[in-house]
Amino acid sequence: MMARNLTLCLACFHGAFAIVGATFGFVSSASAQSIQLGMPIACELGRTCYIQNYVDADPSPSAKDYKCGTLTYDAHNGTDFRVPSLQAQQAGVEVLAAANGRVLRTRDGAPDGLFRKSAREAVRDVECGNGVVVEHAEHWETQYCHMASGSLQVKSGDVVKVGQPLGRVGLSGLTEYPHLHFTVRHGNVVVDPFAYGAAPGSCGGGELLWDPSLRAQLAYQERTILNAGFTSRPVTMDLIEDGKADKELLSADAPAIVAFVRAIGLKAGDVQWLSVRDPAGHVIAENRAAPLERDKAQTMLFAGRKRPASGWEKGNYKATYSVERDGQVVLKRDLETTL
Ligand SMILES: [Zn+2]
């Protein structure tokens, strides 16, 4: 099952956390117009975190990311760096200052997970949850949202250096999965750090504001595998989100062998396929899904088989996941586990 509001995290600050206009003249190596950003989160993109959403570059009620792709939703004003599971979040992922600056304001003490447990009303006016706003030279600002309750390590007025920990990724405010919502503003106007100054609808124009050393890591991925592995029981989106499904070691008496994949960014018309093979290479389970009817923020596929009466053969079990579009493989992953 897919969470209905999956893409939600935060639109803007409200109320007591309103924007204050003051700025300071920091000495910076950045040019007068642009800022150079470091990673705002201590993770490796594509391995320990993933971009779920970009800034909505489409001013209409529909939504497009800076490549005119689907990785955003209407009026989304930042970049969402998602960690793959609650277990990964609970292990601790630091939120980092993306550039030198000074802390303008903070909020802490908003509970983690309130939006998942109750409803949107519970996080009204605190959509950002626990957050930090840092001001930088030349009227630039960065904002960090949904941080873990009690994790903030800075206070208003603190001078911070690029890469300095501000706190940890959490689940506070308007979010139902752990991630950092990161907003960049210049002169109080929201800027997409992947496409600064791009003409609306340019599908890839504008300036990257990221440090050049990060640009390969930050290359646009239309589709991404968030989790993949084997488990011995029926898999659910909640089990994957908890992080327990990925970590299971299969044993010879496992009641079932199930391979699973959760992916983000799949498009209408994509066809997913997952097959599982025993140590002799025979296919023991297969799942070829119907073409997706619409774009999906996240989707899950699994294929598995119950333990045969004779038990499991020892050896390597392999699975292959692929996504095809117009006859071309556009995403693929091979998995392996040993009994
Ligand atoms: Zn967001």
Side-chain angles (χ1 to χ4, degrees), residues 55-257:
V55 173
D56 177 15
D58 182 343
S60 82
S62 58
K64 280 190 183 112
D65 63 40
Y66 77 107
K67 292 281 196 186
C68 292
T70 63
L71 299 175
T72 187
Y73 58 91
D74 187 36
H76 189 243
N77 71 357
T79 306
D80 290 341
F81 294 88
R82 180 176 188 173
V83 296
S85 68
L86 287 167
Q87 192 174 62
Q89 180 258 324
Q90 284 155 9
V93 181
E94 286 181 323
V95 173
L96 309 173
N100 296 340
R102 182 175 300 180
V103 176
L104 195 56
R105 57 192 181 275
T106 64
R107 182 198 290 125
D108 202 350
D112 285 303
L114 193 62
F115 179 68
R116 291 181 121 214
K117 289 190 198 103
S118 52
R120 192 178 181 120
E121 197 56 36
V123 295
R124 184 175 295 280
D125 297 336
V126 287
E127 287 90 345
C128 179
N130 303 309
V132 175
V133 177
V134 178
E135 62 173 353
H136 311 282
E138 308 286 351
H139 310 287
W140 288 91
E141 249 177 38
T142 53
Q143 177 175 333
Y144 312 77
C145 292
H146 311 314
M147 292 167 69
S149 183
S151 77
L152 267 66
Q153 296 181 33
V154 294
K155 59 185 188 312
S156 295
D158 285 358
V159 171
V160 292
K161 293 276 183 208
V162 59
Q164 181 176 329
L166 304 175
R168 281 183 284 106
V169 173
L171 202 63
S172 62
L174 185 54
T175 178
E176 51 187 328
Y177 55 87
H179 72 282
L180 169 70
H181 171 105
F182 175 67
T183 294
V184 180
R185 283 184 290 264
H186 189 222
N188 287 342
V189 175
V190 170
V191 164
D192 186 343
F194 290 85
Y196 176 50
S202 68
C203 302
E207 183 187 348
L208 276 171
L209 296 181
W210 302 100
D211 186 291
S213 68
L214 297 174
R215 291 180 186 176
Q217 195 184 149
L218 288 164
Y220 185 76
Q221 302 289 334
E222 294 190 274
R223 301 169 181 82
T224 305
I225 293 170
L226 195 58
N227 316 84
F230 289 91
T231 178
S232 66
R233 50 191 166 155
V235 69
T236 63
M237 202 66 102
D238 280 349
L239 272 175
I240 297 175
E241 187 57 45
D242 285 347
K244 291 170 185 153
D246 303 50
K247 304 291 181 291
E248 191 175 359
L249 288 175
L250 293 183
S251 63
D253 59 356
I257 290 179

